[in-house]
Amino acid sequence: MPSNLTLYTVAEIRQIEHAAFATCPSYTLMQRAGTAAADYARQLLADHDGGATILVLVGPGNNGGDALEAASQLANSGWDVAIHFSCDPARLPADAQQALLRAQDSPAHVIHDILPTHNDWALVLDGLFGIGLTRPITGDIARLIEYINNLHCPVLALDVPSGLDADTGMIVDANAFIPGDGRAAAIRATHTITFIGNKAGLHTCDGRDYAGQVQVSDLGLEAALYPPSSSQLNHVELFANTLQHRRQNSHKGSYGDVSVLGGAHGMVGAAVLAARTAAKSGAGRVFIAGIDEALNYDNAQPELMCRRAADFDFNSATIVAGPGLGTSRDAHDFLLQALAANVPLVLDADALNLIAVESGLQQKLLSRKALSLLTPHPLEAARLLGISNSLIQADRLAAARTIAKKFNAVTILKGSGSVIAAPDGAVVINTTGNPALATAGAGDVLSGLCGALLAQKWPVWEAALAAVWLHGKAADNLVASGIGPIGVTASELIPEIRAVLNQLVSRQHSPR
Ligand SMILES: NC(=O)C1=CN([C@@H]2O[C@H](COP(=O)(O)OP(=O)(O)OC[C@H]3O[C@@H](n4cnc5c(N)ncnc54)[C@H](OP(=O)(O)O)[C@@H]3O)[C@@H](O)[C@H]2O)[C@H](O)CC1
Ligand SMILES: [K+]
């Protein structure tokens, strides 16, 4: 069976569903979906005394059918179930009509008007819309969603939180302001059970905020029905074989050199953060090639070797270009030297902004023989593609793929559910991290970590996957230990990253 970590587009899910109907009656799938939803609901209610009521929201399509099937199973097993239709039940599609008959034969009851004072639900099942949502949710259904989002009980979304685009993780037409109806709405679920296959939109952009904890139910479909997928969720197994155990007989030269090109006047801290991260992520030696006056030394990290960029040989180390680089003429000229160097190169921040506005630098990047790794946040990505930030966020997977292909470089598009893309179209969505990373310097830390792994001879794809995973996991560990997410500073990530990296190496190389 395809792993739950493999991601499928809505089109691919439709293709699988269609193929499945050839071998099993479509209602069978809906029954299995309803069973999976009911089973998950029971798990979420395990500690509940069974006294309260489950509210089941039914929309106009087969997502509503799944919900009706779940409702009848829960009602038949003793739960008090209230069904609320956001549509005319008579117009439900055929499969959902079957589920409706089963619900009508069950003890479930229909509730027409949900009063704002109603707030003692044990659980809400969201069966309003699934992958068939085609336009923003507005009007009465949007008002219903606003009511649901203000409840404090678990909300289990069936297949997709209603209102969310299953491919992109955007709220459908979130940017559209619908006159008279306000902003488009989406269910903010605490949990989502998604059917047939996992979906990118549940894990990136708004997906992590609106889908909550995601469980996948393959509805018992055989693997042969699933097309090959070029998208998956990040996980340690994707880079575990690259985790290097250190031999006793080694020295600092065994672990490579990193040079951070940046640190313009007033922005030295960015370069220091990247360099400190590189040092604590295993690089043998770390230099800061400052483009203005050379930083004398880093008092807190005297191991860092500070040089003037003008005196630095860019062919002597893996380069992390961008942290605090600025966009001056000097910055441009030193970046040109870095692009020309035959060494691994991480391009972040102002290095990306300079490349975005000059085709000569873009040509230089494209003509590189050594590997490059780009680490844009959405606004830097927008500049690289000459489009708006909201268009980048509207389809993060497409944006990351486009940049990777345009510049022939592995690209990390940062943000909630960072997207790592390869020039060949492969995409991985990261699963670690939290709002603690929304702090100045977190990007500098990530670029320094990327540089350190590349200096230690990690292949660029595995280096990108590992760096993003470690960076997010460090933030998760800080929050789990009671620090943050509010107020975490980028510097605090650095020792955590080192700890997680060493834990992974020990686990990978401990005797079985
Ligand atoms: N087919 C099966 O047996 C299985 C399906 N699965 C579940 O089905 C959904 C997909 O079902 P589908 O009917 O294609 O779509 P939805 O239920 O998501 O709803 C689409 C209907 O909603 C209308 N629509 C779309 N946008 C809006 C809106 N903003 N406001 C109001 N109505 C809207 C749309 O009608 P239009 O023609 O007006 O566009 C559709 O009627 C899937 O997600 C699963 O939950 C099972 O997983 C497997 C078995
Ligand atoms: K739903």
PDB file of all heavy atoms in Angstrom, residues 439-470:
ATOM      1  N   THR A 439      10.575  34.121  13.617  1.00  0.00           N
ATOM      2  CA  THR A 439      11.385  35.052  14.405  1.00  0.00           C
ATOM      3  C   THR A 439      12.622  35.447  13.612  1.00  0.00           C
ATOM      4  O   THR A 439      13.144  34.644  12.819  1.00  0.00           O
ATOM      5  CB  THR A 439      11.788  34.407  15.757  1.00  0.00           C
ATOM      6  OG1 THR A 439      12.498  35.365  16.547  1.00  0.00           O
ATOM      7  CG2 THR A 439      12.691  33.214  15.563  1.00  0.00           C
ATOM      8  N   ALA A 440      13.103  36.657  13.801  1.00  0.00           N
ATOM      9  CA  ALA A 440      14.244  37.164  13.026  1.00  0.00           C
ATOM     10  C   ALA A 440      15.443  36.247  13.187  1.00  0.00           C
ATOM     11  O   ALA A 440      15.762  35.823  14.304  1.00  0.00           O
ATOM     12  CB  ALA A 440      14.595  38.556  13.525  1.00  0.00           C
ATOM     13  N   GLY A 441      16.053  35.924  12.073  1.00  0.00           N
ATOM     14  CA  GLY A 441      17.280  35.124  12.120  1.00  0.00           C
ATOM     15  C   GLY A 441      17.058  33.645  11.932  1.00  0.00           C
ATOM     16  O   GLY A 441      18.012  32.892  11.703  1.00  0.00           O
ATOM     17  N   ALA A 442      15.798  33.186  12.002  1.00  0.00           N
ATOM     18  CA  ALA A 442      15.559  31.733  11.839  1.00  0.00           C
ATOM     19  C   ALA A 442      16.016  31.282  10.454  1.00  0.00           C
ATOM     20  O   ALA A 442      16.535  30.175  10.284  1.00  0.00           O
ATOM     21  CB  ALA A 442      14.085  31.404  12.056  1.00  0.00           C
ATOM     22  N   GLY A 443      15.829  32.147   9.455  1.00  0.00           N
ATOM     23  CA  GLY A 443      16.270  31.807   8.104  1.00  0.00           C
ATOM     24  C   GLY A 443      17.785  31.761   7.993  1.00  0.00           C
ATOM     25  O   GLY A 443      18.356  30.913   7.294  1.00  0.00           O
ATOM     26  N   ASP A 444      18.465  32.648   8.719  1.00  0.00           N
ATOM     27  CA  ASP A 444      19.938  32.619   8.720  1.00  0.00           C
ATOM     28  C   ASP A 444      20.437  31.312   9.324  1.00  0.00           C
ATOM     29  O   ASP A 444      21.401  30.708   8.852  1.00  0.00           O
ATOM     30  CB  ASP A 444      20.473  33.798   9.531  1.00  0.00           C
ATOM     31  CG  ASP A 444      19.975  35.140   8.988  1.00  0.00           C
ATOM     32  OD1 ASP A 444      20.038  35.321   7.743  1.00  0.00           O
ATOM     33  OD2 ASP A 444      19.502  35.972   9.778  1.00  0.00           O
ATOM     34  N   VAL A 445      19.743  30.884  10.387  1.00  0.00           N
ATOM     35  CA  VAL A 445      20.116  29.615  11.029  1.00  0.00           C
ATOM     36  C   VAL A 445      19.954  28.467  10.035  1.00  0.00           C
ATOM     37  O   VAL A 445      20.832  27.611   9.883  1.00  0.00           O
ATOM     38  CB  VAL A 445      19.250  29.389  12.291  1.00  0.00           C
ATOM     39  CG1 VAL A 445      19.371  27.965  12.811  1.00  0.00           C
ATOM     40  CG2 VAL A 445      19.628  30.399  13.377  1.00  0.00           C
ATOM     41  N   LEU A 446      18.829  28.455   9.317  1.00  0.00           N
ATOM     42  CA  LEU A 446      18.609  27.373   8.338  1.00  0.00           C
ATOM     43  C   LEU A 446      19.684  27.380   7.253  1.00  0.00           C
ATOM     44  O   LEU A 446      20.219  26.313   6.894  1.00  0.00           O
ATOM     45  CB  LEU A 446      17.226  27.513   7.698  1.00  0.00           C
ATOM     46  CG  LEU A 446      16.902  26.455   6.633  1.00  0.00           C
ATOM     47  CD1 LEU A 446      16.801  25.059   7.235  1.00  0.00           C
ATOM     48  CD2 LEU A 446      15.606  26.820   5.906  1.00  0.00           C
ATOM     49  N   SER A 447      20.049  28.547   6.765  1.00  0.00           N
ATOM     50  CA  SER A 447      21.055  28.592   5.678  1.00  0.00           C
ATOM     51  C   SER A 447      22.412  28.123   6.190  1.00  0.00           C
ATOM     52  O   SER A 447      23.145  27.403   5.505  1.00  0.00           O
ATOM     53  CB  SER A 447      21.147  30.004   5.093  1.00  0.00           C
ATOM     54  OG  SER A 447      21.620  30.916   6.058  1.00  0.00           O
ATOM     55  N   GLY A 448      22.724  28.464   7.430  1.00  0.00           N
ATOM     56  CA  GLY A 448      23.997  27.989   8.002  1.00  0.00           C
ATOM     57  C   GLY A 448      24.000  26.482   8.171  1.00  0.00           C
ATOM     58  O   GLY A 448      25.004  25.795   7.924  1.00  0.00           O
ATOM     59  N   LEU A 449      22.855  25.934   8.544  1.00  0.00           N
ATOM     60  CA  LEU A 449      22.727  24.474   8.702  1.00  0.00           C
ATOM     61  C   LEU A 449      22.870  23.783   7.349  1.00  0.00           C
ATOM     62  O   LEU A 449      23.585  22.779   7.221  1.00  0.00           O
ATOM     63  CB  LEU A 449      21.380  24.143   9.337  1.00  0.00           C
ATOM     64  CG  LEU A 449      20.957  22.682   9.448  1.00  0.00           C
ATOM     65  CD1 LEU A 449      22.009  21.840  10.150  1.00  0.00           C
ATOM     66  CD2 LEU A 449      19.613  22.588  10.170  1.00  0.00           C
ATOM     67  N   CYS A 450      22.250  24.351   6.333  1.00  0.00           N
ATOM     68  CA  CYS A 450      22.399  23.797   4.972  1.00  0.00           C
ATOM     69  C   CYS A 450      23.877  23.786   4.581  1.00  0.00           C
ATOM     70  O   CYS A 450      24.404  22.790   4.076  1.00  0.00           O
ATOM     71  CB  CYS A 450      21.607  24.635   3.967  1.00  0.00           C
ATOM     72  SG  CYS A 450      19.831  24.519   4.123  1.00  0.00           S
ATOM     73  N   GLY A 451      24.567  24.891   4.840  1.00  0.00           N
ATOM     74  CA  GLY A 451      25.986  24.998   4.497  1.00  0.00           C
ATOM     75  C   GLY A 451      26.814  23.943   5.213  1.00  0.00           C
ATOM     76  O   GLY A 451      27.697  23.307   4.618  1.00  0.00           O
ATOM     77  N   ALA A 452      26.509  23.729   6.485  1.00  0.00           N
ATOM     78  CA  ALA A 452      27.290  22.754   7.272  1.00  0.00           C
ATOM     79  C   ALA A 452      27.126  21.349   6.714  1.00  0.00           C
ATOM     80  O   ALA A 452      28.097  20.594   6.593  1.00  0.00           O
ATOM     81  CB  ALA A 452      26.840  22.803   8.722  1.00  0.00           C
ATOM     82  N   LEU A 453      25.911  20.975   6.350  1.00  0.00           N
ATOM     83  CA  LEU A 453      25.686  19.621   5.822  1.00  0.00           C
ATOM     84  C   LEU A 453      26.374  19.458   4.461  1.00  0.00           C
ATOM     85  O   LEU A 453      27.013  18.459   4.181  1.00  0.00           O
ATOM     86  CB  LEU A 453      24.193  19.328   5.725  1.00  0.00           C
ATOM     87  CG  LEU A 453      23.415  19.338   7.051  1.00  0.00           C
ATOM     88  CD1 LEU A 453      21.942  19.026   6.816  1.00  0.00           C
ATOM     89  CD2 LEU A 453      24.006  18.370   8.059  1.00  0.00           C
ATOM     90  N   LEU A 454      26.279  20.488   3.627  1.00  0.00           N
ATOM     91  CA  LEU A 454      26.943  20.411   2.318  1.00  0.00           C
ATOM     92  C   LEU A 454      28.455  20.322   2.496  1.00  0.00           C
ATOM     93  O   LEU A 454      29.139  19.564   1.815  1.00  0.00           O
ATOM     94  CB  LEU A 454      26.565  21.617   1.463  1.00  0.00           C
ATOM     95  CG  LEU A 454      25.096  21.696   1.029  1.00  0.00           C
ATOM     96  CD1 LEU A 454      24.836  22.993   0.271  1.00  0.00           C
ATOM     97  CD2 LEU A 454      24.698  20.487   0.179  1.00  0.00           C
ATOM     98  N   ALA A 455      28.998  21.065   3.459  1.00  0.00           N
ATOM     99  CA  ALA A 455      30.454  21.021   3.709  1.00  0.00           C
ATOM    100  C   ALA A 455      30.875  19.624   4.153  1.00  0.00           C
ATOM    101  O   ALA A 455      32.012  19.188   3.901  1.00  0.00           O
ATOM    102  CB  ALA A 455      30.823  22.052   4.773  1.00  0.00           C
ATOM    103  N   GLN A 456      29.933  18.918   4.814  1.00  0.00           N
ATOM    104  CA  GLN A 456      30.231  17.539   5.263  1.00  0.00           C
ATOM    105  C   GLN A 456      29.871  16.501   4.200  1.00  0.00           C
ATOM    106  O   GLN A 456      29.660  15.334   4.503  1.00  0.00           O
ATOM    107  CB  GLN A 456      29.495  17.260   6.593  1.00  0.00           C
ATOM    108  CG  GLN A 456      29.970  18.164   7.731  1.00  0.00           C
ATOM    109  CD  GLN A 456      29.084  18.071   8.960  1.00  0.00           C
ATOM    110  OE1 GLN A 456      29.183  17.110   9.740  1.00  0.00           O
ATOM    111  NE2 GLN A 456      28.216  19.063   9.116  1.00  0.00           N
ATOM    112  N   LYS A 457      29.766  17.022   2.957  1.00  0.00           N
ATOM    113  CA  LYS A 457      29.596  16.154   1.791  1.00  0.00           C
ATOM    114  C   LYS A 457      28.214  15.484   1.684  1.00  0.00           C
ATOM    115  O   LYS A 457      28.089  14.407   1.099  1.00  0.00           O
ATOM    116  CB  LYS A 457      30.690  15.060   1.773  1.00  0.00           C
ATOM    117  CG  LYS A 457      32.111  15.603   1.844  1.00  0.00           C
ATOM    118  CD  LYS A 457      32.729  15.751   0.464  1.00  0.00           C
ATOM    119  CE  LYS A 457      34.213  16.139   0.553  1.00  0.00           C
ATOM    120  NZ  LYS A 457      34.361  17.502   1.088  1.00  0.00           N
ATOM    121  N   TRP A 458      27.198  16.096   2.314  1.00  0.00           N
ATOM    122  CA  TRP A 458      25.848  15.587   2.113  1.00  0.00           C
ATOM    123  C   TRP A 458      25.419  15.882   0.683  1.00  0.00           C
ATOM    124  O   TRP A 458      25.697  16.981   0.179  1.00  0.00           O
ATOM    125  CB  TRP A 458      24.876  16.278   3.064  1.00  0.00           C
ATOM    126  CG  TRP A 458      24.865  15.756   4.458  1.00  0.00           C
ATOM    127  CD1 TRP A 458      25.925  15.708   5.335  1.00  0.00           C
ATOM    128  CD2 TRP A 458      23.738  15.218   5.171  1.00  0.00           C
ATOM    129  NE1 TRP A 458      25.521  15.188   6.538  1.00  0.00           N
ATOM    130  CE2 TRP A 458      24.188  14.875   6.471  1.00  0.00           C
ATOM    131  CE3 TRP A 458      22.399  15.016   4.846  1.00  0.00           C
ATOM    132  CZ2 TRP A 458      23.335  14.327   7.426  1.00  0.00           C
ATOM    133  CZ3 TRP A 458      21.547  14.468   5.801  1.00  0.00           C
ATOM    134  CH2 TRP A 458      22.023  14.116   7.071  1.00  0.00           C
ATOM    135  N   PRO A 459      24.757  14.964   0.006  1.00  0.00           N
ATOM    136  CA  PRO A 459      24.160  15.293  -1.300  1.00  0.00           C
ATOM    137  C   PRO A 459      23.136  16.411  -1.073  1.00  0.00           C
ATOM    138  O   PRO A 459      22.490  16.459  -0.026  1.00  0.00           O
ATOM    139  CB  PRO A 459      23.485  13.989  -1.720  1.00  0.00           C
ATOM    140  CG  PRO A 459      24.085  12.913  -0.866  1.00  0.00           C
ATOM    141  CD  PRO A 459      24.487  13.563   0.419  1.00  0.00           C
ATOM    142  N   VAL A 460      22.958  17.252  -2.093  1.00  0.00           N
ATOM    143  CA  VAL A 460      22.168  18.464  -1.862  1.00  0.00           C
ATOM    144  C   VAL A 460      20.704  18.139  -1.511  1.00  0.00           C
ATOM    145  O   VAL A 460      20.107  18.804  -0.656  1.00  0.00           O
ATOM    146  CB  VAL A 460      22.261  19.415  -3.084  1.00  0.00           C
ATOM    147  CG1 VAL A 460      21.716  18.776  -4.339  1.00  0.00           C
ATOM    148  CG2 VAL A 460      21.604  20.752  -2.796  1.00  0.00           C
ATOM    149  N   TRP A 461      20.118  17.101  -2.110  1.00  0.00           N
ATOM    150  CA  TRP A 461      18.702  16.799  -1.842  1.00  0.00           C
ATOM    151  C   TRP A 461      18.522  16.368  -0.385  1.00  0.00           C
ATOM    152  O   TRP A 461      17.689  16.915   0.335  1.00  0.00           O
ATOM    153  CB  TRP A 461      18.218  15.719  -2.812  1.00  0.00           C
ATOM    154  CG  TRP A 461      16.791  15.290  -2.674  1.00  0.00           C
ATOM    155  CD1 TRP A 461      16.327  14.051  -2.336  1.00  0.00           C
ATOM    156  CD2 TRP A 461      15.616  16.102  -2.891  1.00  0.00           C
ATOM    157  NE1 TRP A 461      14.954  14.038  -2.325  1.00  0.00           N
ATOM    158  CE2 TRP A 461      14.490  15.276  -2.661  1.00  0.00           C
ATOM    159  CE3 TRP A 461      15.394  17.432  -3.247  1.00  0.00           C
ATOM    160  CZ2 TRP A 461      13.172  15.734  -2.768  1.00  0.00           C
ATOM    161  CZ3 TRP A 461      14.090  17.889  -3.349  1.00  0.00           C
ATOM    162  CH2 TRP A 461      12.998  17.057  -3.126  1.00  0.00           C
ATOM    163  N   GLU A 462      19.363  15.436   0.042  1.00  0.00           N
ATOM    164  CA  GLU A 462      19.272  14.967   1.432  1.00  0.00           C
ATOM    165  C   GLU A 462      19.630  16.080   2.413  1.00  0.00           C
ATOM    166  O   GLU A 462      19.052  16.208   3.479  1.00  0.00           O
ATOM    167  CB  GLU A 462      20.192  13.757   1.650  1.00  0.00           C
ATOM    168  CG  GLU A 462      19.698  12.455   1.058  1.00  0.00           C
ATOM    169  CD  GLU A 462      19.873  12.373  -0.448  1.00  0.00           C
ATOM    170  OE1 GLU A 462      20.509  13.288  -1.037  1.00  0.00           O
ATOM    171  OE2 GLU A 462      19.370  11.414  -1.054  1.00  0.00           O
ATOM    172  N   ALA A 463      20.573  16.942   2.026  1.00  0.00           N
ATOM    173  CA  ALA A 463      20.944  18.064   2.904  1.00  0.00           C
ATOM    174  C   ALA A 463      19.745  18.994   3.103  1.00  0.00           C
ATOM    175  O   ALA A 463      19.457  19.425   4.219  1.00  0.00           O
ATOM    176  CB  ALA A 463      22.114  18.842   2.291  1.00  0.00           C
ATOM    177  N   ALA A 464      19.019  19.259   2.027  1.00  0.00           N
ATOM    178  CA  ALA A 464      17.844  20.151   2.131  1.00  0.00           C
ATOM    179  C   ALA A 464      16.762  19.523   3.003  1.00  0.00           C
ATOM    180  O   ALA A 464      16.214  20.176   3.896  1.00  0.00           O
ATOM    181  CB  ALA A 464      17.304  20.454   0.740  1.00  0.00           C
ATOM    182  N   LEU A 465      16.500  18.237   2.793  1.00  0.00           N
ATOM    183  CA  LEU A 465      15.447  17.552   3.567  1.00  0.00           C
ATOM    184  C   LEU A 465      15.818  17.517   5.051  1.00  0.00           C
ATOM    185  O   LEU A 465      15.012  17.829   5.923  1.00  0.00           O
ATOM    186  CB  LEU A 465      15.256  16.121   3.051  1.00  0.00           C
ATOM    187  CG  LEU A 465      14.806  15.948   1.605  1.00  0.00           C
ATOM    188  CD1 LEU A 465      14.635  14.468   1.282  1.00  0.00           C
ATOM    189  CD2 LEU A 465      13.512  16.696   1.334  1.00  0.00           C
ATOM    190  N   ALA A 466      17.077  17.177   5.315  1.00  0.00           N
ATOM    191  CA  ALA A 466      17.522  17.058   6.704  1.00  0.00           C
ATOM    192  C   ALA A 466      17.539  18.427   7.382  1.00  0.00           C
ATOM    193  O   ALA A 466      17.084  18.579   8.519  1.00  0.00           O
ATOM    194  CB  ALA A 466      18.914  16.432   6.749  1.00  0.00           C
ATOM    195  N   ALA A 467      18.033  19.439   6.679  1.00  0.00           N
ATOM    196  CA  ALA A 467      18.138  20.770   7.301  1.00  0.00           C
ATOM    197  C   ALA A 467      16.761  21.283   7.684  1.00  0.00           C
ATOM    198  O   ALA A 467      16.558  21.755   8.817  1.00  0.00           O
ATOM    199  CB  ALA A 467      18.820  21.743   6.330  1.00  0.00           C
ATOM    200  N   VAL A 468      15.794  21.154   6.800  1.00  0.00           N
ATOM    201  CA  VAL A 468      14.451  21.670   7.100  1.00  0.00           C
ATOM    202  C   VAL A 468      13.830  20.868   8.242  1.00  0.00           C
ATOM    203  O   VAL A 468      13.221  21.422   9.160  1.00  0.00           O
ATOM    204  CB  VAL A 468      13.572  21.615   5.826  1.00  0.00           C
ATOM    205  CG1 VAL A 468      12.158  22.033   6.122  1.00  0.00           C
ATOM    206  CG2 VAL A 468      14.150  22.512   4.743  1.00  0.00           C
ATOM    207  N   TRP A 469      14.035  19.551   8.203  1.00  0.00           N
ATOM    208  CA  TRP A 469      13.467  18.697   9.246  1.00  0.00           C
ATOM    209  C   TRP A 469      14.085  19.012  10.602  1.00  0.00           C
ATOM    210  O   TRP A 469      13.384  19.190  11.611  1.00  0.00           O
ATOM    211  CB  TRP A 469      13.686  17.222   8.903  1.00  0.00           C
ATOM    212  CG  TRP A 469      12.890  16.289   9.759  1.00  0.00           C
ATOM    213  CD1 TRP A 469      11.621  15.808   9.528  1.00  0.00           C
ATOM    214  CD2 TRP A 469      13.280  15.744  11.033  1.00  0.00           C
ATOM    215  NE1 TRP A 469      11.215  15.005  10.556  1.00  0.00           N
ATOM    216  CE2 TRP A 469      12.204  14.938  11.505  1.00  0.00           C
ATOM    217  CE3 TRP A 469      14.433  15.846  11.816  1.00  0.00           C
ATOM    218  CZ2 TRP A 469      12.251  14.257  12.711  1.00  0.00           C
ATOM    219  CZ3 TRP A 469      14.480  15.149  13.024  1.00  0.00           C
ATOM    220  CH2 TRP A 469      13.405  14.378  13.460  1.00  0.00           C
ATOM    221  N   LEU A 470      15.422  19.147  10.653  1.00  0.00           N
ATOM    222  CA  LEU A 470      16.127  19.436  11.914  1.00  0.00           C
ATOM    223  C   LEU A 470      15.738  20.809  12.464  1.00  0.00           C
ATOM    224  O   LEU A 470      15.522  20.984  13.657  1.00  0.00           O
ATOM    225  CB  LEU A 470      17.639  19.382  11.684  1.00  0.00           C
ATOM    226  CG  LEU A 470      18.243  18.000  11.461  1.00  0.00           C
ATOM    227  CD1 LEU A 470      19.626  18.129  10.833  1.00  0.00           C
ATOM    228  CD2 LEU A 470      18.312  17.226  12.773  1.00  0.00           C
TER     229      LEU A 470
END
